């Protein structure tokens, strides 16, 4: 019997009992009416009290039965397997939208971008970091150009320092689609134009600026605008997290969504490879994707090294000293505040506790896992149907495929999967952006482990106290939104949750949230 079916039957029985109570009381009252004429007031009062006591006794018995039924109903709802089965089946579907739908079209007057002669100058940017960090930077670059009424030069990607390959914007994204989609928002050119000065033709030199981190809109409307008007072109580098995420103007926020979810489309070869992988995975039913961030850089950044061998700890400490600020980090303290990445085994325990079994098909999106087979073995034992982009049929990537393209394929497969599980959503912009894109793409289910709430459970297990851990994990994991719309609350990123700016309702009470009529 389903949960809803059990509820319907129990609810029917409850209303039947209430009906019986009312019928019994009405009957008792009707029996008193003909007796009133032939009985003294004292006898009438005794008879009335007797019937009332009988009514109370029957009512008590019926209410007790009702309570028992509701208790039984609670067992049906909250019993381990019944709740597991119900939740797991529901998770393969998209979350309830409550009438909200994605919409990033302007809702107020939106003037066209400046022409070549109206533009204040040219904006160059160099986007550093991984795929999703660069993606956010590209969105910011378009908004910055709009703020300054300037022309955007096609963004540059700093792929060599992070990925050690030569891929650029034109190798990863569909450039004509990018320019065409944003033609009503910003003017975009492939390069800074050449100018003629003193009889010589040369490329206009851009004035280099290092923008403040999370710079407000006012900085671009004053400091940056002054420089672009003076020099004709500016070069913003590095350009990662160089525009505040929280902007008071909702139209600028919607522009970010138009860039991220409409204009930034991967090249056809990346899209085809991703599509082939998804088709293969879905040919046998539902599948989930997991972004497992158990990698050298993330573990070293987090400072959670106690579970590794002395040799592995030496490697982690060296990496941390070379790349991050010197800081004393205590494993237990980091663990308890949720700063340690989940191990593959812990991810497996979470998935199993929720109710997924060993037939579940899983796509693993990650770089090289630190600690190798020793950490992956328990996970594979629990969930043997494990795949990645180098293992699946005709869509698999060759080993020499550039790193940025491999990450792009992972991004698309995670976006299109039935369920997405990010295991570390701190500085991991990949997980943040995929979560936001899935929300925009139709409230697709995302299961986000609460590492802080789970930490005491896993620490107890490390110390040999494993009793009842599955039930404890379930209690933590069932307290989540699973991808449903919710208002963004700090420190949640705009790129993780663009609701409500980039969503609307047909009959919203707030006029600002109402969908615009389609032409």
């Amino acid at each position: 019997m389903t949960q809803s079916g059990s509820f319907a039957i129990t609810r029917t029985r409850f209303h039947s009992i209430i009906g019986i109570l009312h019928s019994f009381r009405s009957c008792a009252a009707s029996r008193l009416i003909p007796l009133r004429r032939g009985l003294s007031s004292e006898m009438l009062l005794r008879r009335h009290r007797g019937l009332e006591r009988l009514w109370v006794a029957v009512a008590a018995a019926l209410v007790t039965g009702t309570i028992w039924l509701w208790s039984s109903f609670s067992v049906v709802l909250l019993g381990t397997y019944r709740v597991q089965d119900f939740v797991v089946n529901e998770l393969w579907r998209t979350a309830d939208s409550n009438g909200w739908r994605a919409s990033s079209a302007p809702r107020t007057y939106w003037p066209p971008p400046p022409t070549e002669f109206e533009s204040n100058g040219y904006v160059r940017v160099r986007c550093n970091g991984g795929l999703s960090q660069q993606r956010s930077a590209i969105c910011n670059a378009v908004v910055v150009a709009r703020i300054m009424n300037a022309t955007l030069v096609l963004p540059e990607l700093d792929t060599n320092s992070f990925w050690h390959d030569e891929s650029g914007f034109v190798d990863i994204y569909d450039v004509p689609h990018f320019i065409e989609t944003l033609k009503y928002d910003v003017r975009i050119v492939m390069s800074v134009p050449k100018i003629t000065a003193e009889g010589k033709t040369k490329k206009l030199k851009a004035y280099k600026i290092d923008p403040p981190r999370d710079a407000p809109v006012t900085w671009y409307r004053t400091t940056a605008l002054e420089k672009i008007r003076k020099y004709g072109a500016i070069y913003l580098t590095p350009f990662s997290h160089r525009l505040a995420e929280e902007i008071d103007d909702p139209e600028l926020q919607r522009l970010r969504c138009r860039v991220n979810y409409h204009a930034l489309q991967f090249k056809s070869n990346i899209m085809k490879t991703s599509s082939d992988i998804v088709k293969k995975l879905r040919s046998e039913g539902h599948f989930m994707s997991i972004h497992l961030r158990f990698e050298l850089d993330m573990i070293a950044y987090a400072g959670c090294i106690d579970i590794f061998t002395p040799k592995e700890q030496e490697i982690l400490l060296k990496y941390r000293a070379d790349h991050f600020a010197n800081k004393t980090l205590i494993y237990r303290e980091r663990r308890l505040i949720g700063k340690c990445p989940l191990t593959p085994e812990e991810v497996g325990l979470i998935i199993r506790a929720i109710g997924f079994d060993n037939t579940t098909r899983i796509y693993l999106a990650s770089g090289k896992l630190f600690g190798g087979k020793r950490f992956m073995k328990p996970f594979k034992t629990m969930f043997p149907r494990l795949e990645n982009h180098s293992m699946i049929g005709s869509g698999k990537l060759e080993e020499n495929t550039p790193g940025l393209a491999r990450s792009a394929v992972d991004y698309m497969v995670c976006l299109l999967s039935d369920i997405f599980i990010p295991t570390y959503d701190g500085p991991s912009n990949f997980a943040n952006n995929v979560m936001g894109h899935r929300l925009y793409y139709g409230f697709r289910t995302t299961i986000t482990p609460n590492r802080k709430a789970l930490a005491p459970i896993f620490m107890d297990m490390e110390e040999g106290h494993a009793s009842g851990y599955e039930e404890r994990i379930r209690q933590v994991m069932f307290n989540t939104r699973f991808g449903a719309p919710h208002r963004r609350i700090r420190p949640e990123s705009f790129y993780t949750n663009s609701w409500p700016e980039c969503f609307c309702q047909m009959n919203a009470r707030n006029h600002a949230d109402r969908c615009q009529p389609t032409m």
Side-chain angles (χ1 to χ4, degrees):
M1 184 181 295
T2 63
Q3 183 191 54
S4 56
S6 301
F7 176 75
I9 292 172
T10 306
R11 182 174 56 186
T12 301
R13 289 174 180 171
F14 177 73
H15 287 302
S16 298
I17 291 166
I18 295 298
I20 292 170
L21 289 175
H22 284 297
S23 298
F24 181 82
R25 190 167 189 178
S26 298
C27 180
S30 63
R31 288 177 66 86
L32 282 174
I33 293 172
L35 292 172
R36 287 174 182 169
R37 295 175 183 172
L39 295 174
S40 66
S41 59
E42 183 178 352
M43 292 179 66
L44 183 63
L45 183 59
R46 288 176 183 172
R47 177 67 60 86
H48 178 73
R49 285 174 176 171
L51 286 170
E52 284 292 339
R53 282 196 294 269
L54 179 60
W55 183 88
V56 169
V58 172
L62 290 171
V63 169
T64 300
T66 303
I67 292 171
W68 179 86
L69 282 172
W70 277 103
S71 299
S72 300
F73 171 56
S74 298
V75 170
V76 170
L77 273 183
L78 302 178
T80 301
Y81 297 102
R82 184 64 65 187
V83 170
Q84 276 184 206
D85 294 342
F86 175 78
V87 172
V88 168
N89 290 336
E90 287 297 309
L91 289 178
W92 291 120
R93 307 183 184 98
T94 57
D96 186 1
S97 69
N98 293 318
W100 289 92
R101 65 186 189 188
S103 173
S104 56
R107 298 176 200 174
T108 58
Y109 174 65
W110 188 251
T115 64
E116 179 182 358
F117 302 103
E118 296 170 335
S119 173
N120 283 320
Y122 296 86
V123 180
R124 285 180 59 197
V125 297
R126 186 170 182 79
C127 308
N128 55 302
L131 174 77
S132 294
Q133 188 169 312
Q134 291 174 356
R135 196 178 178 97
S136 300
I138 295 167
C139 298
N140 289 343
V142 172
V143 173
V144 163
R146 177 79 191 191
I147 290 170
M148 295 193 293
N149 209 34
T151 300
L152 177 66
V153 179
L154 194 70
E156 303 165 27
L157 306 185
D158 179 19
T159 54
N160 194 52
S161 61
F162 186 88
W163 295 104
H164 306 294
D165 69 48
E166 299 299 329
S167 300
F169 194 102
V170 297
D171 301 302
I172 301 300
Y173 295 105
D174 184 336
V175 174
H177 176 82
F178 180 74
I179 294 174
E180 175 66 19
T181 304
L182 297 173
K183 66 181 181 181
Y184 299 111
D185 299 304
V186 291
R187 180 170 174 265
I188 302 172
V189 296
M190 296 298 292
S191 61
V192 175
K194 293 181 179 180
I195 59 170
T196 302
E198 298 177 356
K200 296 181 179 180
T201 300
K202 58 182 180 180
K203 187 173 286 189
L204 178 64
K205 186 176 181 181
Y207 180 79
K208 185 178 177 181
I209 306 176
D210 180 1
R213 185 178 176 88
D214 299 320
V217 170
T218 53
W219 184 86
Y220 289 99
R221 285 179 174 158
T222 54
T223 304
L225 185 58
E226 178 188 345
K227 298 298 182 185
I228 200 172
R229 283 174 171 168
K230 181 177 180 179
Y231 296 99
I234 56 174
Y235 184 29
L236 306 176
T237 180
F239 197 73
S240 174
H241 306 291
R242 302 295 161 160
L243 175 65
E245 286 195 8
E246 295 300 327
I247 298 176
D248 291 335
D249 185 348
E251 292 297 1
L252 291 179
Q253 296 289 60
R254 283 190 273 274
L255 175 56
R256 271 174 163 158
C257 290
R258 289 199 291 281
V259 181
N260 205 7
Y261 307 132
H262 298 278
L264 281 176
Q265 181 174 288
F266 295 119
K267 292 200 71 171
S268 58
N269 63 313
I270 293 174
M271 297 296 283
K272 184 180 186 311
T273 301
S274 306
S275 177
D276 289 346
I277 291 174
V278 170
K279 285 178 182 176
K280 178 64 176 176
L281 288 166
R282 194 162 281 145
S283 65
E284 299 181 35
H286 297 295
F287 79 97
M288 71 168 59
S289 60
I290 299 176
H291 185 233
L292 191 55
R293 200 66 170 92
F294 199 71
E295 300 159 358
L296 172 62
D297 62 330
M298 184 51 60
I299 297 168
Y301 172 83
C304 304
I305 68 172
D306 288 35
I307 61 173
F308 296 95
T309 65
K311 180 62 177 177
E312 290 169 340
Q313 290 187 24
E314 184 181 331
I315 295 170
L316 289 166
L317 290 172
K318 184 180 185 307
Y319 189 95
R320 179 169 181 81
D322 292 343
H323 296 86
F324 305 114
N326 184 22
K327 189 185 297 185
T328 301
L329 301 176
I330 301 173
Y331 170 72
R332 184 175 180 82
E333 293 178 357
R334 300 289 288 172
R335 180 76 146 160
L336 287 173
I337 60 175
K339 295 298 183 182
C340 291
L342 295 170
T343 69
E345 181 178 11
E346 289 166 351
V347 176
L349 291 173
I350 291 169
I351 299 170
R352 191 172 66 183
I354 292 173
F356 295 98
D357 60 29
N358 61 3
T359 65
T360 304
R361 196 155 197 188
I362 297 173
Y363 179 85
L364 193 63
S366 69
K368 185 178 180 180
L369 299 184
F370 192 73
K373 296 180 179 179
R374 177 165 57 93
F375 284 95
M376 276 304 298
K377 187 176 180 181
F379 185 93
K380 285 185 175 181
T381 300
M382 287 184 275
F383 296 96
R385 303 189 69 192
L386 192 63
E387 313 271 12
N388 62 30
H389 56 216
S390 64
M391 298 167 62
I392 304 177
S394 61
K396 67 182 181 181
L397 296 178
E398 302 299 331
E399 287 302 318
N400 59 357
T401 302
L404 198 59
R406 296 167 73 89
S407 184
V409 169
D410 276 348
Y411 184 98
M412 286 306 302
V413 176
C414 288
L415 171 64
L416 298 173
S417 62
D418 299 296
I419 295 172
F420 174 60
I421 303 180
T423 64
Y424 198 89
D425 57 338
S428 175
N429 290 294
F430 182 99
N432 288 341
N433 274 32
V434 171
M435 288 164 67
H437 206 155
R438 287 175 65 84
L439 193 71
Y440 191 88
Y441 204 70
F443 306 104
R444 291 177 171 245
T445 299
T446 298
I447 303 175
T448 310
N450 184 335
R451 294 187 306 279
K452 185 176 181 179
L454 290 166
I457 303 171
F458 292 132
M459 292 190 76
D460 283 349
M461 293 179 70
E462 285 179 13
E463 296 168 5
H465 309 298
S467 178
Y469 76 89
E470 283 199 343
E471 181 59 33
R472 293 172 66 190
I473 291 174
R474 275 193 291 274
Q475 289 174 2
V476 172
M477 294 307 300
F478 288 161
N479 186 26
T480 182
R481 299 183 183 91
F482 296 122
H486 61 281
R487 188 169 295 276
R488 184 172 65 259
I489 301 174
R490 290 186 179 182
E492 195 172 27
S493 164
F494 176 82
Y495 292 102
T496 304
N497 180 12
S498 58
W499 192 87
E501 294 96 333
C502 297
F503 294 85
C504 66
Q505 276 184 319
M506 292 302 296
N507 300 310
R509 293 182 180 179
N510 185 353
H511 182 75
D513 294 332
R514 196 168 300 164
C515 296
Q516 299 298 303
T518 56
M519 300 298 290

